């Protein structure tokens, strides 16, 4: 009997404390040629938390191969790099319309080399020449056009300048 009572009380307290909390998603494009997707959480005290992932698009050719075999094409056709990060952020809602958030990004940067070989889809393949760990930080500001839609702009040391939107659902 006591356990059931405590369970009901805990459920009532939890439901009361979760009133006003909202969840959303966001998408942003950056000057680095990357795309950021995020899951956002706003609590009832106007604190803003986000968890995201960023992928930089690149001109890799065909299939990624772990090593260049002797019978693979050896003609190099360009090189470049791309990154993938996980982003954690915290911010505040100011004056009911403005959001300001800081973020930390951690991930990896892959340098690749493209090779021509018509036996592969895309006319070739690519190898990862080197990998390095990336750590960066950023700052964003947003404006609530209504309670469910925010436009944002900011800068991250990895992604560079970015613009995006957030949709807050619940």
């Amino acid at each position: 009997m006591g356990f059931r009572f405590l369970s009901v009380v805990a459920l009532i307290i939890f439901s009361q404390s979760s009133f006003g909390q909202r969840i959303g998603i966001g998408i942003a494009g950056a000057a680095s040629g990357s795309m950021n997707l995020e899951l956002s959480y706003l609590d009832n005290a106007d604190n803003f938390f986000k968890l995201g992932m960023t992928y930089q698009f690149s001109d890799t050719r065909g299939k990624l191969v772990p090593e260049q075999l002797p019978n693979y094409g050896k003609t190099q056709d360009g090189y470049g790099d791309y990154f993938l990060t996980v982003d954690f952020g915290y911010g505040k809602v100011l004056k009911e319309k403005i959001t300001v958030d800081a973020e930390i990004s951690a991930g990896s940067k892959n340098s690749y080399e493209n090779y021509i070989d018509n036996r592969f889809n895309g006319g070739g393949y690519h190898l990862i020449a080197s990998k390095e760990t990336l750590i960066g930080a950023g700052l964003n500001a947003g404006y609530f056009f209504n309670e469910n839609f925010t436009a944002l702009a900011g800068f991250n040391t990895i992604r560079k300048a970015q613009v995006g939107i957030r949709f807050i659902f619940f």
Side-chain angles (χ1 to χ4, degrees), residues 1-11:
M1 178 71 174
F3 177 73
R4 287 184 187 174
F5 176 75
L6 290 176
S7 298
V8 169
V9 169
L11 184 60

mmCIF file of all heavy atoms in Angstrom, residues 1-11:
data_model
loop_
_atom_site.group_PDB
_atom_site.id
_atom_site.type_symbol
_atom_site.label_atom_id
_atom_site.label_comp_id
_atom_site.label_asym_id
_atom_site.label_seq_id
_atom_site.Cartn_x
_atom_site.Cartn_y
_atom_site.Cartn_z
ATOM 1 N N MET A 1 0.823 -1.195 0.000
ATOM 2 C CA MET A 1 0.000 0.000 0.000
ATOM 3 C C MET A 1 0.869 1.263 0.000
ATOM 4 O O MET A 1 0.611 2.186 -0.753
ATOM 5 C CB MET A 1 -0.933 -0.049 1.211
ATOM 6 C CG MET A 1 -1.805 1.162 1.368
ATOM 7 S SD MET A 1 -3.051 1.167 0.078
ATOM 8 C CE MET A 1 -4.015 2.520 0.579
ATOM 9 N N GLY A 2 1.892 1.303 0.845
ATOM 10 C CA GLY A 2 2.771 2.466 0.939
ATOM 11 C C GLY A 2 3.517 2.719 -0.368
ATOM 12 O O GLY A 2 3.710 3.865 -0.775
ATOM 13 N N PHE A 3 3.949 1.626 -1.046
ATOM 14 C CA PHE A 3 4.672 1.768 -2.310
ATOM 15 C C PHE A 3 3.777 2.379 -3.381
ATOM 16 O O PHE A 3 4.198 3.249 -4.127
ATOM 17 C CB PHE A 3 5.215 0.407 -2.759
ATOM 18 C CG PHE A 3 5.900 0.466 -4.084
ATOM 19 C CD1 PHE A 3 7.154 1.051 -4.211
ATOM 20 C CD2 PHE A 3 5.284 -0.040 -5.226
ATOM 21 C CE1 PHE A 3 7.782 1.118 -5.441
ATOM 22 C CE2 PHE A 3 5.909 0.026 -6.454
ATOM 23 C CZ PHE A 3 7.167 0.607 -6.560
ATOM 24 N N ARG A 4 2.516 1.939 -3.443
ATOM 25 C CA ARG A 4 1.580 2.488 -4.428
ATOM 26 C C ARG A 4 1.338 3.969 -4.176
ATOM 27 O O ARG A 4 1.302 4.767 -5.109
ATOM 28 C CB ARG A 4 0.259 1.739 -4.394
ATOM 29 C CG ARG A 4 0.345 0.367 -4.984
ATOM 30 C CD ARG A 4 -0.999 -0.279 -5.009
ATOM 31 N NE ARG A 4 -0.860 -1.668 -5.419
ATOM 32 C CZ ARG A 4 -1.824 -2.534 -5.427
ATOM 33 N NH1 ARG A 4 -3.044 -2.156 -5.031
ATOM 34 N NH2 ARG A 4 -1.632 -3.755 -5.819
ATOM 35 N N PHE A 5 1.162 4.324 -2.909
ATOM 36 C CA PHE A 5 0.941 5.720 -2.568
ATOM 37 C C PHE A 5 2.141 6.574 -2.997
ATOM 38 O O PHE A 5 1.976 7.629 -3.601
ATOM 39 C CB PHE A 5 0.686 5.865 -1.059
ATOM 40 C CG PHE A 5 0.549 7.293 -0.627
ATOM 41 C CD1 PHE A 5 -0.610 8.009 -0.901
ATOM 42 C CD2 PHE A 5 1.582 7.935 0.042
ATOM 43 C CE1 PHE A 5 -0.723 9.326 -0.518
ATOM 44 C CE2 PHE A 5 1.463 9.253 0.427
ATOM 45 C CZ PHE A 5 0.306 9.958 0.151
ATOM 46 N N LEU A 6 3.362 6.129 -2.678
ATOM 47 C CA LEU A 6 4.566 6.866 -3.060
ATOM 48 C C LEU A 6 4.700 6.947 -4.582
ATOM 49 O O LEU A 6 5.150 7.968 -5.111
ATOM 50 C CB LEU A 6 5.810 6.227 -2.449
ATOM 51 C CG LEU A 6 5.946 6.365 -0.935
ATOM 52 C CD1 LEU A 6 7.170 5.608 -0.443
ATOM 53 C CD2 LEU A 6 6.023 7.830 -0.543
ATOM 54 N N SER A 7 4.322 5.888 -5.283
ATOM 55 C CA SER A 7 4.373 5.903 -6.748
ATOM 56 C C SER A 7 3.427 6.950 -7.322
ATOM 57 O O SER A 7 3.774 7.687 -8.246
ATOM 58 C CB SER A 7 4.023 4.537 -7.317
ATOM 59 O OG SER A 7 4.942 3.575 -6.888
ATOM 60 N N VAL A 8 2.212 7.026 -6.783
ATOM 61 C CA VAL A 8 1.234 8.005 -7.258
ATOM 62 C C VAL A 8 1.711 9.420 -6.947
ATOM 63 O O VAL A 8 1.632 10.319 -7.788
ATOM 64 C CB VAL A 8 -0.161 7.733 -6.639
ATOM 65 C CG1 VAL A 8 -1.123 8.878 -6.911
ATOM 66 C CG2 VAL A 8 -0.722 6.426 -7.168
ATOM 67 N N VAL A 9 2.240 9.640 -5.733
ATOM 68 C CA VAL A 9 2.750 10.960 -5.366
ATOM 69 C C VAL A 9 3.912 11.346 -6.284
ATOM 70 O O VAL A 9 3.968 12.480 -6.786
ATOM 71 C CB VAL A 9 3.177 10.994 -3.880
ATOM 72 C CG1 VAL A 9 3.953 12.271 -3.564
ATOM 73 C CG2 VAL A 9 1.957 10.865 -2.986
ATOM 74 N N ALA A 10 4.834 10.427 -6.547
ATOM 75 C CA ALA A 10 5.964 10.710 -7.429
ATOM 76 C C ALA A 10 5.476 11.044 -8.838
ATOM 77 O O ALA A 10 5.991 11.968 -9.481
ATOM 78 C CB ALA A 10 6.920 9.524 -7.466
ATOM 79 N N LEU A 11 4.469 10.320 -9.317
ATOM 80 C CA LEU A 11 3.911 10.586 -10.644
ATOM 81 C C LEU A 11 3.278 11.971 -10.706
ATOM 82 O O LEU A 11 3.465 12.716 -11.670
ATOM 83 C CB LEU A 11 2.892 9.505 -11.010
ATOM 84 C CG LEU A 11 2.288 9.586 -12.404
ATOM 85 C CD1 LEU A 11 3.380 9.479 -13.460
ATOM 86 C CD2 LEU A 11 1.277 8.482 -12.596
#
